Amino acid sequence: MMTNMESRPGATQWFHYARQLENTQLRQLAQSGKLVSRISHLVHMLQCERGASNIWLCSAGQLYGPEIRASRALVDEEHARLQSLLQEMRPMANSALCHRIAGAVWCLEQLPQLREAVSGRHSDAPQAMDQYSRTLRHLLSIVPQLNDNIDHPHIAGGMVALYSFMQGKELVGQERALGAIGFTQGAFSHEMRQELVDRIDGQQLCFDTFISLASPTVVHAFRQQCEAEAAIEQWRRLACTRQPAPDKGESALRWFTLQTQRLEQLRSIEEMLIAELMSAVERRLAQDETTLPLASWLDDATDDTFSLRRDKQLLLVVRQQARELEQLSGQLASLQDALEERKVIDKAKYVLMHHQNLSEEQAWQSLRKMAMDKNQRMVDIARALLTVKSLWQVTTKG
C-alpha cells in the first residue's frame, strides 16, 4: 500500500511539471513570433506612407506623389498578410491580446478614409500624421501583451528589448515626419521644435533599454549602423535653432532621405532582434533537461528568480514608455489646434490693422481687451470678427 509521502509529487516531478508549462508558453510565443514579424513589416511600411504623405500635403501635392502610391501598395500587401495570420491565431489569443488587436484592426479599417483625405488634400499634414501615428501606436501595443505569460528570464528580456527598440524606431519615424513638415513649409514654430526635442529624447530612453538587454552582437551592429550620423545632427540643429531658407522642398527631401536611410538600418536591426528571440525560443524548447541533477535545476531557479524580477520591472518601464508615446501623439493633436487658432487670430489682427489703421501690437491688444471684456477666448472673438467682416463684404457687394 502506497504511503501519503510516496503519493505526493516529489521535487523532480514539480520541476518536470514547471518545464512542461514553460514549454507550452514557449510554443505559444513561437507562434506569436510570426505575429511580431508581421507587425514589424506593416509598421515599417506605414511609417513610410506617413512620411511621404506629409511631404505631399506640405508641398501642396507637388512632391512625393509616386512614393505615396508605392508605399500604399506595400502597406496593403502587409495588411493582407497580417489579417491572414490573425485568423490563424484566434484560438490562442487571450482577452487582453484580443482587445489590443481589435484597436489596431479598427484603426487599419479607417485607412481608406485617411488616404482619401490626403489625396484630396482635405487634411493637413499634422492631422494626417496624428491619424497615422494612432494606428501605429495601436499596432505596437500588441507586442508587449505577448510577453505577459513568459516566465523564462532570457526570453522575457528579449521581448522587452524588442519592444523598446520598436518604440524607439517609431519615434525616429515621427521625427522624420515632423521634420518633413517643417522643412517643406520652410518654418518651425516653437511648438514643433519642442515636439522634435521630445521625440529625440524619447528615442534615447527606448534605445538605452534595448541596449541593456540585447545581445552584444546586436548592440554592436546598432552602434555601427544606426546612431544618428553627423549629417542628421546638423539638420536637427537647423530645425531646432534656426528657420530654414526657402528652397522649393530641397531641404525636406534631403532630411527625408537621411532619416529614411536610418530607418532602413533600424529595420535590419529589428529583424536581427526578432530572429535572435525566435532562435532562443527554439533552443530552449529543444533542451533535454531530464538527465540534469536536481542541484542544477535549483541553481537555475535561484538565478531565474532574480532575473525575472528585474525583467518584469523593465517591462513596467517599457509600458511607461508606451504611455509617454501615446501622450506625445496627443500633444501633436494639441499642436494642430494651437496652430489653427493662431491662424484665425492672425487673420483677425490683419482685419483690425487694415480697417482701423492699427499697428500689429495695437490690434493684438484690441483683440485681447475684447476677449477680457466678454470673458471669452481670444480665438472666439477673432472668429466672430472674421464672420462680421464676411457679412459686411456680402452686404457691400449687394
Side-chain angles (χ1 to χ4, degrees):
M1 183 176 179
M2 186 177 292
T3 66
N4 286 340
M5 183 65 72
E6 292 171 332
S7 64
R8 294 172 186 166
T12 301
Q13 289 144 306
W14 277 112
F15 275 110
H16 279 301
Y17 183 53
R19 185 59 196 277
Q20 289 171 9
L21 292 175
E22 181 187 313
N23 284 352
T24 300
Q25 294 171 348
L26 291 172
R27 280 190 288 269
Q28 289 179 342
L29 182 58
Q31 286 183 283
S32 300
K34 298 177 184 177
L35 177 59
V36 173
S37 182
R38 289 269 65 87
I39 289 173
S40 172
H41 281 83
L42 179 55
V43 162
H44 188 71
M45 293 299 105
L46 271 171
Q47 288 167 339
C48 293
E49 182 178 338
R50 175 180 59 191
S53 298
N54 277 358
I55 291 184
W56 160 266
L57 289 169
C58 290
S59 66
Q62 299 301 307
L63 300 172
Y64 263 58
E67 286 81 357
I68 287 181
R69 290 190 290 273
S71 61
R72 286 177 178 177
L74 292 170
V75 166
D76 290 342
E77 288 179 15
E78 293 300 335
H79 186 193
R81 293 188 179 109
L82 177 64
Q83 286 177 310
S84 177
L85 180 59
L86 288 175
Q87 288 299 318
E88 298 174 14
M89 292 191 63
R90 280 205 316 187
M92 62 162 283
N94 57 50
S95 61
L97 179 57
C98 286
H99 275 104
R100 300 289 179 91
I101 292 172
V105 169
W106 185 88
C107 288
L108 289 167
E109 288 171 351
Q110 312 310 306
L111 264 183
Q113 295 95 311
L114 173 56
R115 288 170 170 176
E116 184 178 350
V118 170
S119 297
R121 292 175 23 224
H122 306 309
S123 174
D124 60 21
Q127 289 172 332
M129 180 177 169
D130 181 48
Q131 293 184 60
Y132 276 114
S133 297
R134 180 180 61 174
T135 302
L136 287 160
R137 186 172 70 249
H138 280 283
L139 276 168
L140 288 172
S141 75
I142 295 171
V143 178
Q145 194 62 48
L146 301 172
N147 185 59
D148 271 3
N149 296 322
I150 302 301
D151 292 331
H152 189 272
H154 180 64
I155 305 297
M159 285 293 293
V160 174
L162 174 61
Y163 182 59
S164 296
F165 187 87
M166 293 176 81
Q167 281 194 96
K169 179 172 174 284
E170 165 57 4
L171 288 172
V172 174
Q174 289 192 20
E175 181 192 358
R176 176 180 66 174
L178 276 169
I181 294 174
F183 282 115
T184 306
Q185 292 179 336
F188 285 89
S189 67
H190 173 75
E191 291 84 356
M192 287 184 69
R193 286 171 171 166
Q194 187 58 54
E195 293 289 325
L196 275 172
V197 171
D198 288 342
R199 279 151 180 80
I200 293 167
D201 290 344
Q203 290 168 36
Q204 192 59 52
L205 290 172
C206 292
F207 290 142
D208 284 347
T209 302
F210 145 74
I211 287 170
S212 71
L213 291 168
S215 71
T217 301
V218 174
V219 171
H220 177 73
F222 170 77
R223 286 178 167 151
Q224 290 290 109
Q225 303 172 24
C226 301
E227 298 282 11
E229 60 183 36
I232 289 178
E233 292 294 350
Q234 289 175 356
W235 286 101
R236 282 175 171 175
R237 285 195 294 274
L238 174 60
C240 293
T241 60
R242 289 180 289 164
Q243 295 295 1
D247 57 7
K248 298 181 180 180
E250 292 181 12
S251 294
L253 296 180
R254 179 59 180 154
W255 163 269
F256 196 83
T257 299
L258 287 169
Q259 291 284 22
T260 298
Q261 290 171 353
R262 187 179 181 212
L263 280 165
E264 292 294 338
Q265 291 164 339
L266 289 168
R267 174 79 188 116
S268 67
I269 301 298
E270 194 171 74
E271 290 282 7
M272 290 176 66
L273 276 169
I274 294 171
E276 277 200 355
L277 179 63
M278 292 303 101
S279 178
V281 171
E282 291 171 5
R283 286 197 306 272
R284 182 68 176 175
L285 284 169
Q287 284 178 354
D288 181 10
E289 296 187 359
T290 57
T291 58
L292 286 177
L294 183 58
S296 297
W297 276 338
L298 289 173
D299 290 341
D300 287 345
T302 302
D303 292 342
D304 286 359
T305 301
F306 173 77
S307 301
L308 183 59
R309 184 167 59 251
R310 179 201 64 185
D311 292 331
K312 290 295 184 183
Q313 289 169 345
L314 281 170
L315 183 58
L316 293 175
V317 171
V318 170
R319 286 181 174 162
Q320 175 61 30
Q321 291 172 354
R323 286 190 288 271
E324 290 171 357
L325 181 61
E326 185 170 352
Q327 289 171 357
L328 286 175
S329 298
Q331 289 170 9
L332 185 65
S334 299
L335 170 62
Q336 167 63 20
D337 293 340
L339 290 174
E340 291 300 320
E341 291 182 359
R342 181 173 294 179
K343 289 178 185 177
V344 172
I345 292 171
D346 286 343
K347 287 179 181 178
K349 279 196 306 183
Y350 175 79
V351 170
L352 289 174
M353 292 165 64
H354 180 71
H355 289 284
Q356 297 189 19
N357 196 27
L358 300 177
S359 68
E360 183 176 359
E361 178 62 26
Q362 288 171 330
W364 170 267
Q365 291 298 339
S366 179
L367 280 173
R368 185 169 178 271
K369 185 176 185 306
M370 284 189 280
M372 293 175 65
D373 290 344
K374 294 183 175 294
N375 196 26
Q376 293 182 353
R377 296 189 309 150
M378 191 181 293
V379 68
D380 294 330
I381 295 295
R383 288 195 183 102
L385 180 63
L386 293 174
T387 301
V388 171
K389 173 179 176 289
S390 300
L391 291 174
W392 179 78
Q393 287 177 328
V394 171
T395 305
T396 302
K397 289 177 182 177

